Amino acid sequence: REPAGACPGGLQVGWLPYESIGLARPEPARRMRYAVSRGTGADLVVPTGSAADGVDIDGIGRLQDALIAAAQAPAGTARPFVTGKGTAADAESCAHVVANPAFAIIAPVADRDDAGGSHPRFDGINQAMADSDALCIAAPGRAMDAGYDDVVVAESASALLGWLATSTR
């Protein structure tokens, strides 16, 4: 466990920091996982560098620069990534990288796949993220079925950049 408010350098997957964002921590079996894109020039936790205009009092310019870098980075397995939806045309496999979201949250509902493990409410490939900090995430649009009911929300760097640009005008 890390002290409250601490985020070790390079950590890309963790338990949602409930207290840090002003929420009560739920019982362990109901806790959510998060993933954040952290890579060279695109660390969304601790954006570095300086804003293009030279003035960046609140860090928005550094965040904007990091989001641009994350959006331009090639898709790959070194950062958290979303796989296919599990259809014949879009395989659900950690060998199939569809996209690298800037941020993702995975909420387990029930242990529908009966896989057990340390965090049995996480189903399918999301269980590896809960058990071992794996970077592979089920697609947000993956259909629920008899063995899967996790809720995944993922946002791209481009979408977050658009929201940031709109809110700072």
Side-chain angles (χ1 to χ4, degrees):
R1 284 182 70 119
E2 294 298 322
C7 184
L11 185 66
Q12 297 186 87
V13 176
W15 297 104
L16 190 71
Y18 290 90
E19 292 93 354
S20 296
I21 60 175
L23 300 172
R25 184 189 301 187
E27 65 179 271
R30 299 195 184 281
R31 291 175 64 201
M32 293 184 274
R33 291 292 270 173
Y34 76 93
V36 59
S37 182
R38 299 185 85 175
T40 305
D43 187 338
L44 299 180
V45 175
V46 185
T48 59
S50 60
D53 63 8
V55 178
D56 191 23
I57 295 170
D58 57 7
I60 290 176
R62 289 187 305 273
L63 178 58
Q64 181 178 3
D65 291 347
L67 287 168
I68 290 168
Q72 294 174 343
T77 58
R79 297 177 291 142
F81 64 95
V82 172
T83 185
K85 294 180 182 178
T87 64
D90 193 19
E92 180 181 57
S93 163
C94 290
H96 176 56
V97 178
V98 172
N100 293 100
F103 292 96
I105 295 177
I106 301 90
V109 179
D111 182 14
R112 296 187 81 174
D113 62 2
D114 292 324
S118 300
H119 305 95
R121 288 182 182 259
F122 287 89
D123 294 322
I125 62 174
N126 294 330
Q127 189 169 32
M129 177 183 273
D131 288 344
S132 68
D133 296 338
L135 300 177
C136 183
I137 307 166
R142 186 200 190 286
M144 292 186 184
D145 57 34
Y148 180 89
D149 65 357
D150 292 354
V151 177
V152 176
V153 177
E155 282 299 336
S156 70
S158 297
L160 294 177
L161 189 58
W163 291 349
L164 184 63
T166 300
S167 68
T168 57
R169 291 182 184 209

